[in-house]
Amino acid sequence: MHMELTDEHRALQQMAKDFADKEVRPFAAELDKKSDPRECFSWDIVKKGSALGLRTLAVPEEYGGPGVDLMGQVLVMLEIARADGGVAKTFSQCWKWTPMITKLATEDQRERFLKPFMEDDTYLLSMGGTEPDAGSDNRMPPPDYPKAGWKTAAVKDGSDYVLNGLKHFIANGGVSSLYIVRTRTNPDVPITEGTTMFFVPKDTPGFSIGRTHDKIGWRFYQNAELIFNDCRVPETNILGELNKGKGASSERYVSFNDVELASNVLGIAQSAFEHALDHARNRIQGGRPIIEHQAIAIKLADMHMRLEAARSYLFKTIESGEHESAEFESSSKQLMKVFATEAALKVTRLAVEIFGGSGVMRDAPVEKLLRDASIFPHLAADSIMSLRAAAKLR
Ligand SMILES: Cc1cc2nc3c(=O)[nH]c(=O)nc-3n(C[C@H](O)[C@H](O)[C@H](O)COP(=O)(O)OP(=O)(O)OC[C@H]3O[C@@H](n4cnc5c(N)ncnc54)[C@H](O)[C@@H]3O)c2cc1C
C-alpha cells in the first residue's frame, strides 16, 4: 500500500491537533460528567471549531467551502476524536450531509439552506430516519414484510406536505438548524418505493424536540427525539425526488458513513492506548514500572497490533475507492467499520485493565473512552446489520 500525505493534509492534521489540544481535551472530561445530557454539549467548542472551518470542511470549493478530500477529513477526525469522539462527530455529521445540500438540493434550496450553513457558526445538520418501531428494518427491510420501516407520514395538502410522527436517537437533535427527515409519502409500498426526504428547518411550526437521550458515552454528541405534529412544509422542501428518498438514488450521497465511524472510534482507541502506555511507564508495582512485567507489555503490544491493523484497513479502504460505493449490499467498507469497532472495544477494555482499580474510577481518563467506544456497535447499520449486508444475507 502506498499512502502519501500532501502538505495540505499535514497542515490540516496539525490544525486539528492544535484545536483538540487547546479547545477540546481540557473540557472533555468535565462535560462528560454532567448529569443532564443537554449540558454535555458546548456551543463554545462548536463556534471555535466552526471558525477554523471544521463544520464546513466538506463543502466543495465551487460552493464556497475548502473542499477537503476524504483523507483530509479522516485525519481531522482521528485527531479530534483523540480528544473527544463526540465533538468530532458533531462536526462530521455536517460533512456527512453536506453532499445532500450541495449535490442533491435544488438551486432554490441551496440558496435557503447552504447559504446560512456557510455563514452561521452554529448551523448544524441532522438526518432523521430511526423511529421507536423502526430501526434495523430501515436498513434491511425484511422481504416478507414489505411495509416495514419508518412510519412518519407526509401527506400532500395543496402546495404543502403535512408531517406527523416521531423519530428518535437523532444525532445533533436539539442543536441542529436543519433536519433532513425521511417520511412515508406512500404507506402501501416498501420504504424503497414510498419514502421522500424533506428539509425541515428547526423553527417550522408543528416541529419540536422531545427528550434528549441520556447515553452512557459519546455524551457531547446530542441525540434526541423529533416530534412532528401537523408540521407543514412547502413542497419545495422535498429533497431529491418524490418517493425516491431511500435507496440507491439517495444513498450514493452518504458513502462517507463507515469511514467516518471507523476513524472516530480509532481516534478514541488511540487515546486509550496512549493513556495506558503512559500509566504503564509510570506506575510502580512489584518494584518496577508495570510495563516491565510481561503481562502488561503483552497487553500493550496487543493494543498496538489491533490499532495498526485497523488503521491500515481504514486507509486501504480510502485508497481503494471502496468508500465511494454507497451500495449497502456490495461493500466491504462495512466490514472495515466492524473491524475497527471491535479493535477499539478491545483496546479500550485493555486500557482500563492496565489502570488497575483506578481504571474504573470516574476520574481516570480511560473509563470514558471505554464508554465512548461502546456506542459504536449500535450506530447506523449496526455491527450485525453490517455483517449481514456484507454476507449478502436477507
Ligand atoms: C448514538 C446513536 C446515534 C444515532 N444517530 C442516528 C441518526 O442520526 N439518525 C437516525 O436515523 N438514526 C440514528 N441512530 C439509530 C441507529 O441507526 C439505530 O439504533 C440502529 O439502526 C439500530 O436500530 P434499533 O436501535 O432500533 O435496534 P433494533 O433494530 O431493534 O435491533 C435490536 C437488535 O436486533 C438485531 N436485529 C434487528 N433486526 C435483525 C435481523 N433482521 N436479523 C438479525 N438481527 C437483527 C440488531 O442487530 C440489534 O442487535 C443512532 C443510534 C445511536 C445509538
Side-chain angles (χ1 to χ4, degrees):
M1 187 172 65
H2 180 69
M3 195 60 99
E4 287 278 331
L5 295 190
T6 63
D7 289 346
E8 202 182 9
H9 285 143
R10 290 186 201 288
L12 264 171
Q13 196 175 25
Q14 189 60 48
M15 179 272 281
K17 184 177 181 314
D18 291 345
F19 171 70
D21 287 345
K22 286 190 203 123
E23 309 296 353
V24 182
R25 193 167 285 109
F27 310 103
E30 191 193 325
L31 287 169
D32 169 73
K33 287 194 179 79
K34 304 272 185 196
S35 55
D36 182 340
R38 289 168 303 180
E39 289 178 13
C40 299
F41 184 80
S42 156
W43 279 116
D44 192 45
I45 291 178
V46 171
K47 284 181 196 161
K48 283 179 174 150
S50 235
L52 291 170
L54 291 174
R55 209 176 35 84
T56 51
L57 205 70
V59 177
E61 285 174 9
E62 59 186 301
Y63 296 110
V68 170
D69 65 5
L70 190 71
M71 179 52 102
Q73 293 172 31
V74 164
L75 295 171
V76 168
M77 179 106 59
L78 285 165
E79 286 301 335
I80 301 178
R82 265 178 72 209
D84 189 275
V87 172
K89 184 67 168 97
T90 301
F91 288 116
S92 71
Q93 188 70 353
C94 295
W95 314 345
K96 187 159 102 179
W97 302 119
T98 293
M100 290 286 195
I101 309 190
T102 54
K103 293 191 184 145
L104 189 58
T106 62
E107 206 176 319
D108 157 66
Q109 289 169 342
R110 280 202 294 274
E111 183 63 23
R112 285 190 288 141
F113 305 126
L114 181 59
K115 209 160 171 253
F117 176 63
M118 296 305 293
E119 290 169 357
D120 179 353
D121 276 347
T122 65
Y123 201 102
L124 298 175
L125 304 177
S126 287
M127 161 66 83
T130 305
E131 299 176 2
D133 291 329
S136 303
D137 281 356
N138 300 327
R139 304 275 162 185
M140 295 178 75
D144 51 348
Y145 181 31
K147 291 186 191 175
W150 39 67
K151 300 284 179 289
T152 294
V155 176
K156 197 161 192 303
D157 183 26
S159 58
D160 294 337
Y161 276 82
V162 179
L163 276 52
N164 278 291
L166 172 71
K167 302 282 180 188
H168 77 168
F169 298 171
I170 306 309
N172 281 347
V175 292
S176 273
S177 292
L178 185 63
Y179 295 81
I180 298 167
V181 182
R182 286 195 152 115
T183 67
R184 276 295 182 101
T185 30
N186 185 346
D188 299 321
V189 294
I191 54 171
T192 45
E193 294 164 30
T195 292
T196 302
M197 291 190 285
F198 285 89
F199 281 121
V200 181
K202 67 173 178 187
D203 48 8
T204 307
F207 172 53
S208 59
I209 301 297
R211 280 182 309 152
T212 294
H213 300 286
D214 197 4
K215 303 195 299 299
I216 60 166
W218 232 25
R219 288 178 64 78
F220 184 98
Y221 192 45
Q222 301 286 292
N223 293 88
E225 292 174 332
L226 313 183
I227 302 170
F228 302 92
N229 192 359
D230 287 337
C231 168
R232 189 172 280 273
V233 288
E235 193 171 11
T236 50
N237 279 23
I238 289 180
L239 172 59
E241 288 177 61
L242 184 71
N243 289 326
K244 292 202 174 148
K246 168 75 186 166
S249 59
S250 65
E251 254 123 72
R252 69 196 153 105
Y253 296 103
V254 287
S255 54
F256 178 44
N257 204 22
D258 299 297
V259 169
E260 175 199 28
L261 295 177
S263 29
N264 194 307
V265 82
L266 290 178
I268 292 168
Q270 177 65 25
S271 176
F273 174 70
E274 288 164 7
H275 280 298
L277 185 60
D278 184 60
H279 185 79
R281 283 177 174 149
N282 292 299
R283 171 75 173 164
I284 312 286
Q285 287 294 287
R288 59 180 103 147
I290 59 172
I291 197 169
E292 292 179 20
H293 297 303
Q294 198 179 44
I296 298 292
I298 286 174
K299 281 183 182 173
L300 286 163
D302 186 306
M303 294 157 82
H304 183 66
M305 170 188 76
R306 285 170 206 276
L307 277 169
E308 284 289 308
R311 255 195 307 263
S312 299
Y313 199 171
L314 168 66
F315 289 138
K316 180 207 156 247
T317 303
I318 299 172
E319 196 181 45
S320 69
E322 278 168 30
H323 64 277
E324 282 164 7
S325 162
E327 241 187 273
F328 192 63
E329 296 86 351
S330 69
S331 74
S332 66
K333 63 189 176 154
Q334 292 175 308
L335 296 180
M336 181 276 295
K337 179 197 68 180
V338 175
F339 187 85
T341 299
E342 292 302 315
L345 286 170
K346 182 82 191 268
V347 167
T348 50
R349 183 171 66 75
L350 288 175
V352 169
E353 284 178 19
I354 289 172
F355 267 71
S358 63
V360 292
M361 303 301 165
R362 291 299 301 271
D363 50 1
V366 284
E367 63 83 35
K368 170 182 183 292
L369 300 170
L370 177 60
R371 286 186 286 109
D372 287 349
S374 301
I375 302 295
F376 284 74
H378 307 284
L379 295 173
D382 69 8
S383 290
I384 292 291
M385 285 296 132
S386 299
L387 293 168
R388 279 187 73 206
K392 300 203 179 341
L393 293 174
R394 273 292 171 190

